[in-house]
Amino acid sequence: MSDVLTVQGLTVSVRDVALVSDVELTVGPGERVGLIGESGSGKSLTALSVLGLLPEDVLAAGSVRLSGVDHELIGADERRMSRVRGRHLAMVFQEPMTALNPTMRVGDQVAEAMLIHRTRSSRRAARIAAAELLELVQLPGVMRTYPHQLSGGQRQRVVLALALANDPALLICDEPTTALDVTVQAMVLDLIMRGVAARESALLFITHDLAVVATVCQRVLVMYGGRVVESGPVTEVFTRPRHRYTEGLIAASDLESADSGPADVGLATSAPRRLPTIPGNVPPAGQFPDGCVFRNRCAHATETCATLPPWTGTPTQGFACHHPAGASDA
Amino acid sequence: MLLRLIERTAVLLVSLAVSSVLVFGFLAVLPGDPARVALGVNASDEAVAELRRQFGLDRPLTTQYFDWLGGMLQGDFGLSYISKAPIGPQITDRFQVTLWLVVTSVVIALVVAAPAGTVMAARHRQLSGLALSALSQVGVAVPAFLAGILLIMVFAVKLGWLPANGWTPPAQDPGMFLRQLVLPALSLGLVQGAVLTRYVRSAVLDVLREDYLRTARAKGLRPFPALWRHGLRNAAVPVVTVLGLQLATLLIGAVVVERVFVIPGLGSLLLDGVSNRDLLVVQDVVMVLVVAVLVVNFLVDLLYVALDPRLRVTR
């Protein structure tokens, strides 16, 4: 079966400064793929270029193909892209508080998604379908409410309902639970998972939260400095990271090791141990080093790292590092 | 909703009361005796005293104030000190004229500002948007009376397409009414429209940056339909506010434009009243204008609620 989403050589730049370089990415039918990395790693830009909704002065190049759409998405005109958006391809954004029109009833906003693409025969049918969708995200009876009457978690479920309204082949979620209370996160994640499963939609899930990726995704891509530095099945990448950045990211998220202090500080067991962090900060856009983008923060960097590390492995599982973790020469 | 209505009504009533005291007070403390002014410097003291008694000007100020206010509430605007004619009917006639002028100007201002401001916002980085911006800046700088004189020079004097001045009631000759309305309404409306365009532009620019507009695009709406369906109502809230505030400027503009175009509206009545020292006419007209501004702003407040559901407090 062919992939739902195929991204090849995607480069996103603003005034000749590359923000995303050479991203290769595929999502199979019904597959749930995670895209992780720190802020500024290019995750959201990758998603927005698939959707064709980059800010005015930001340009994308490369190739993005979607199954069921017979044209290239990069550079497609508004008329063609508007037929794809919301129909074959839908997105849930990070900030639920501002994602809905404050002056329009929630039910109308969901129904509109179907009316735009004429997937329901009449206004009435669309409204009935909208009520059903809202019930599926456990919001019965909110058709006539306005967004300000709902909480953040409830609004995000409304956004999810309207994203799923036309049974898209691919749902992109960009940090959908980051702005929500922890107690609400699990519910929203569960609804996303159930929503895509019921429609056999593929899912591209963007987050910086490794625990969320582990719950939601089957496969994961790690981004840093606008490049995909490692990819593979979630269990593989999280238990045996190869790229030094992935290794650092996982160590920084590993709260268990932080709780149980290491043996060499036995004298001060009561003192809180420093949480493991990746040294340095993410450089500003366009100021990543040549060659390996991570080398200025990497403890294993050598002179060879000044050249761009080649991709090792298969297109769906591999890494780009000169000195990978777990290798004999490390 | 009901709470807001009660609250706004209370604010309106208090503002009306305060402004009536101010209008009455200002004219009362003006130096010069209205009766002396009306009769001229050569009038005998007896004649002046007689006139003061006749118009009740010899009574205490508070009595005069409540008498004036009570009369106005019943539609009795009093008698002119000069002509001794009732002021009420004059104001009613003149008010209709000014209403035509002002309403037409507001319509012109909106018809100009809404599309121009939206295009300016949507193309704020392109030459066409910048050119429109510059043009509206020029419009903001031109006072209405100057715009009026320029319009007369071009369309009435040079081209002879439209009458330079005058007024015909619509019932008498609708064609002539419209032809005479065009230039004064344009000179008021275009200038107001230029100011309003700036506000429409910034309101639309704000809306364009909103997340819900991106959501609308992600649903599959093209940029313009997305702005139309999801942006306009949100952008209307600040624009309506400005429109309400502009009304005061518009009425001041109407006073001047009525003079330029020789239109028998409230503005002309006010200026005539001032030049004839007919103080009660001045007092009544100013009060009518103040009431108009306050009532329109009251209606604007209610319009917000219709536009923005977040203001409908249900508790």
Side-chain angles (χ1 to χ4, degrees):
Chain A
M1 237 169 134
S2 69
D3 290 322
V4 171
L5 175 71
T6 312
V7 176
Q8 287 176 314
L10 177 72
T11 298
V12 179
S13 55
V14 55
R15 276 175 256 103
D16 295 331
V17 177
L19 303 175
V20 170
S21 310
D22 273 330
V23 166
E24 308 274 328
L25 162 66
T26 57
V27 184
E31 196 183 15
R32 301 189 301 274
V33 175
L35 200 55
I36 58 172
E38 291 165 272
S39 320
S41 61
K43 301 164 296 184
S44 296
L45 283 175
T46 304
L48 287 176
S49 30
V50 171
L51 208 62
L53 285 181
L54 286 169
E56 248 175 273
D57 44 0
V58 183
L59 298 172
S63 164
V64 173
R65 299 297 299 240
L66 198 67
S67 71
V69 178
D70 59 3
H71 60 83
E72 172 62 47
L73 297 193
I74 297 282
D77 57 35
E78 262 313 310
R79 196 170 47 87
R80 295 169 111 185
M81 277 314 286
S82 62
R83 283 190 208 134
V84 176
R85 288 187 208 120
R87 175 82 188 82
H88 303 279
L89 179 63
M91 185 149 174
V92 174
F93 296 99
Q94 176 172 351
E95 191 40 75
M97 299 308 278
T98 53
L100 293 168
N101 181 351
T103 60
M104 199 171 176
R105 291 182 200 278
V106 160
D108 293 335
Q109 299 196 44
V110 177
E112 188 191 31
M114 291 170 273
L115 290 168
I116 292 168
H117 297 283
R118 298 202 178 86
T119 49
R120 295 296 184 283
S121 53
S122 66
R123 189 164 286 271
R124 201 164 159 268
R127 288 186 60 80
I128 292 168
E132 285 168 6
L133 280 160
L134 287 168
E135 256 172 63
L136 281 179
V137 295
Q138 296 172 24
L139 288 172
V142 298
M143 283 293 283
R144 292 184 60 76
T145 58
Y146 286 99
H148 72 276
Q149 294 165 296
L150 303 174
S151 71
Q154 289 172 325
R155 291 188 211 187
Q156 194 65 303
R157 278 139 67 194
V158 173
V159 175
L160 178 65
L162 71 85
L164 292 173
N166 295 318
D167 304 335
L170 175 71
L171 177 70
I172 302 178
C173 294
D174 186 0
E175 307 259 12
T177 56
T178 307
L180 303 180
D181 286 344
V182 184
T183 46
V184 185
Q185 284 188 7
M187 180 195 200
V188 172
L189 288 178
D190 182 54
L191 288 169
I192 291 174
M193 301 260 284
R194 279 201 265 163
V196 293
R199 290 163 180 79
E200 295 173 347
S201 305
L203 176 68
L204 181 61
F205 196 98
I206 298 169
T207 182
H208 62 264
D209 189 334
L210 302 196
V212 169
V213 172
T215 326
V216 174
C217 301
Q218 299 153 328
R219 207 151 57 75
V220 65
L221 287 90
V222 183
M223 282 190 82
Y224 181 81
R227 289 178 182 275
V228 175
V229 294
E230 180 159 9
S231 73
V234 171
T235 44
E236 193 70 22
V237 172
F238 282 9
T239 51
R240 263 173 306 185
R242 303 300 306 273
H243 197 284
R244 294 296 179 180
Y245 173 67
T246 319
E247 192 186 39
L249 196 64
I250 289 165
S253 319
D254 190 356
L255 294 174
E256 275 174 40
S257 80
D259 288 342
S260 55
D264 60 340
V265 284
L267 282 175
T269 41
S270 59
R273 202 180 72 101
R274 274 178 67 95
L275 292 167
T277 54
I278 301 175
N281 292 309
V282 180
Q287 290 181 29
F288 285 92
D290 298 336
C292 175
V293 281
F294 188 56
R295 70 185 164 103
N296 61 341
R297 295 174 72 188
C298 180
H300 304 267
T302 58
E303 277 169 26
T304 38
C305 298
T307 58
L308 195 65
W311 186 258
T312 314
T314 64
T316 50
Q317 181 176 359
F319 56 91
C321 182
H322 289 296
H323 308 289
S328 51
D329 63 343
Chain B
M1 177 71 213
L2 189 67
L3 197 77
R4 192 180 168 86
L5 186 68
I6 294 169
E7 180 201 11
R8 291 287 105 193
T9 311
V11 169
L12 173 70
L13 291 177
V14 170
S15 325
L16 284 174
V18 170
S19 51
S20 69
V21 171
L22 287 177
V23 169
F24 181 85
F26 269 124
L27 288 160
V29 299
L30 274 184
D33 178 357
R36 168 71 67 188
V37 169
L39 291 174
V41 276
N42 296 326
S44 65
D45 288 349
E46 291 76 35
V48 170
E50 171 60 21
L51 194 72
R52 285 175 61 87
R53 201 183 45 75
Q54 202 181 329
F55 284 101
L57 292 169
D58 51 352
R59 295 172 302 167
L61 277 179
T62 44
T63 316
Q64 288 186 45
Y65 168 73
F66 283 110
D67 190 44
W68 171 65
L69 190 68
M72 292 242 287
L73 289 175
Q74 293 163 31
D76 175 12
F77 287 72
L79 299 177
S80 158
Y81 299 153
I82 311 287
S83 67
K84 315 261 179 353
I87 301 171
Q90 283 192 67
I91 287 189
T92 323
D93 284 355
R94 304 294 190 102
F95 188 77
Q96 289 173 28
V97 174
T98 303
L99 195 66
W100 273 112
L101 180 61
V102 168
V103 169
T104 317
S105 325
V106 169
V107 171
I108 290 174
L110 273 175
V111 165
V112 170
T118 308
V119 169
M120 268 158 64
R123 301 199 176 161
H124 68 286
R125 294 200 184 160
Q126 288 153 27
L127 198 64
S128 52
L130 289 175
L132 271 174
S133 272
L135 197 67
S136 82
Q137 202 73 274
V138 173
V140 171
V142 176
F145 77 89
L146 192 63
I149 292 170
L150 286 173
L151 286 171
I152 290 178
M153 274 164 55
V154 175
F155 293 101
V157 178
K158 259 230 153 61
L159 299 170
W161 292 352
L162 293 161
N165 55 38
W167 181 265
T168 312
Q172 192 184 317
D173 182 353
M176 196 58 191
F177 162 72
L178 284 177
R179 280 162 54 80
Q180 286 178 334
L181 183 63
V182 173
L183 290 183
L186 271 181
S187 45
L188 261 185
L190 286 181
V191 172
Q192 293 298 316
V195 178
L196 201 60
T197 305
R198 316 288 309 171
Y199 287 96
V200 172
R201 175 181 181 270
S202 76
V204 173
L205 266 183
D206 284 347
V207 163
L208 282 174
R209 290 190 205 104
E210 291 285 353
D211 281 354
Y212 55 76
L213 216 66
R214 186 178 61 182
T215 307
R217 299 279 311 280
K219 277 181 184 176
L221 282 174
R222 285 201 240 163
F224 188 74
L227 184 61
W228 180 260
R229 285 188 54 89
H230 292 273
L232 243 49
R233 191 160 157 187
N234 287 290
V237 176
V239 172
V240 164
T241 313
V242 173
L243 204 59
L245 294 174
Q246 266 191 316
L247 187 79
T249 336
L250 202 61
L251 287 173
I252 295 165
V255 170
V256 181
V257 165
E258 280 174 12
R259 178 57 36 127
V260 172
F261 286 92
V262 198
I263 294 171
L266 273 187
S268 305
L269 185 63
L270 179 66
L271 291 184
D272 290 345
V274 169
S275 45
N276 297 337
R277 306 284 188 276
D278 202 344
L279 291 185
L280 190 56
V281 169
V282 174
Q283 190 172 317
D284 285 351
V285 173
V286 169
M287 195 60 218
V288 167
L289 294 179
V290 167
V291 170
V293 170
L294 288 176
V295 167
V296 167
N297 279 294
F298 168 74
L299 294 176
V300 163
D301 262 351
L302 295 188
L303 193 57
Y304 288 157
V305 183
L307 286 171
D308 192 340
R310 283 170 293 188
L311 298 174
R312 286 171 218 164
V313 187
T314 41
R315 269 161 289 144

